């Protein structure tokens, strides 16, 4: 894999071709990336809502009213749209579910190893819940690890993406019933293939020079 080529080639778009759809077998690879994305102490404090039908995308697009209306076509014309949701709380039931899944997957050679993992994860969860009191921002940081994983994976598969924070999170939470499930929407990724009308496609990527942002010790 040519990492430099992927990094320097534009895979973000401002306009999708509504006639081009991501093949199911290709999108399945992106779902796998989401499921196996890294998170601090394997906390996995997330949920992903995916829409690929016009009806599903229209529900998400309800959150792009008013000052966010410019993002509506980026949702409706995309092949697939993913809403990245963070948990509202890192409660004991979720931590237990993660631990038991690890057990089923063969992560623990002994009961002591399982107990050690439980103690370690709870330590960090409690650190953010009670000491730092920043559990929600901490969970959203983990969510952005999954978000970045998805964007790089999409680029590797030659799929264009449009990341969006410009939407009414309250409206989207209500439309999808997220708060009742202990979730809240944080960021959206539209995926598909750019149209010929994408003005951004012809513009060069621009980043600060390496020596301005990288220090070698």
């Amino acid at each position: 894999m040519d990492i430099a080529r992927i990094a320097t080639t534009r895979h973000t778009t401002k306009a999708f071709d509504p006639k081009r759809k991501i093949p199911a077998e290709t999108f399945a690879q992106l779902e796998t990336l989401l499921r196996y994305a890294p998170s601090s102490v394997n906390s996995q404090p997330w949920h992903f809502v995916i829409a690929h039908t016009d009806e599903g995308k229209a529900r998400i697009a309800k959150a792009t009213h008013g000052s966010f209306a410019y993002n509506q076509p980026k949702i409706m014309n995309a092949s697939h749209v993913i809403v990245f949701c963070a948990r509202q709380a890192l409660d004991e039931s979720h931590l237990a579910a993660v631990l038991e899944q690890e057990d089923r997957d063969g992560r623990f050679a002994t009961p002591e190893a399982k107990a050690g993992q439980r103690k370690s994860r709870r330590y960090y969860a409690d650190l953010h819940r009670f000491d730092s009191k920043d559990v929600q921002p901490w969970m959203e940081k983990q969510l952005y690890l999954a978000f970045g994983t998805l964007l790089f994976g999409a680029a590797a598969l030659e799929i264009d993406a449009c990341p969006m924070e410009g939407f009414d999170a309250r409206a989207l939470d209500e439309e999808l019933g997220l708060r009742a499930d202990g979730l809240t929407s944080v960021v959206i990724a539209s995926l598909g293939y750019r149209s010929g009308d994408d003005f951004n496609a012809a513009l060069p990527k621009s980043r600060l020079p390496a020596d301005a942002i990288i220090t070698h010790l």
Side-chain angles (χ1 to χ4, degrees), residues 6-181:
I6 294 172
T8 56
T9 300
R10 182 176 299 286
H11 288 287
T12 55
T13 184
K14 303 296 184 183
F16 288 99
D17 182 347
K19 296 180 181 179
R20 295 191 65 190
K21 305 299 180 183
I22 301 171
E25 60 274 14
T26 301
F27 192 81
Q29 296 182 64
L30 295 180
E31 287 196 34
T32 299
L33 281 176
L34 289 175
R35 184 182 172 210
Y36 285 94
S39 59
S40 178
V41 295
N42 198 27
S43 54
Q44 305 173 63
W46 49 47
H47 190 84
F48 310 105
V49 178
I50 300 172
H52 64 90
T53 64
D54 288 343
E55 292 78 12
K57 289 183 290 185
R59 292 185 65 188
I60 296 173
K62 288 182 180 180
T64 55
H65 53 75
S67 60
F68 303 122
Y70 63 94
N71 276 331
Q72 185 173 20
K74 299 170 189 173
I75 291 173
M76 293 306 301
N77 292 334
S79 171
H80 290 65
V81 181
I82 304 175
V83 180
F84 286 70
C85 308
R87 298 183 60 82
Q88 293 178 355
L90 201 60
D91 53 39
E92 290 301 321
S93 63
H94 176 72
L95 296 178
V98 171
L99 188 71
E100 293 308 315
Q101 185 63 53
E102 290 173 327
D103 199 5
R104 288 191 293 271
D105 290 337
R107 292 277 298 170
F108 310 122
T110 64
E112 291 76 16
K114 181 177 180 180
Q117 175 72 330
R118 178 177 181 272
K119 181 179 180 180
S120 176
R121 183 179 295 119
R122 177 171 287 177
Y123 168 80
Y124 282 101
D126 287 348
L127 180 69
H128 290 282
R129 285 190 292 193
F130 304 122
D131 298 333
S132 302
K133 302 185 187 305
D134 65 344
V135 69
Q136 193 65 36
W138 183 67
M139 289 191 293
E140 292 183 11
K141 288 178 182 178
Q142 311 317 310
L143 185 65
Y144 272 90
L145 292 178
F147 192 68
T149 298
L150 174 90
L151 293 181
F152 184 82
L157 293 170
E158 302 292 332
I159 295 170
D160 297 313
C162 182
M164 283 175 277
E165 290 183 326
F167 64 95
D168 185 333
R170 178 185 290 273
L172 189 54
D173 287 1
E174 291 178 356
E175 173 63 29
L176 301 181
L178 296 178
R179 297 186 182 184
D181 291 331

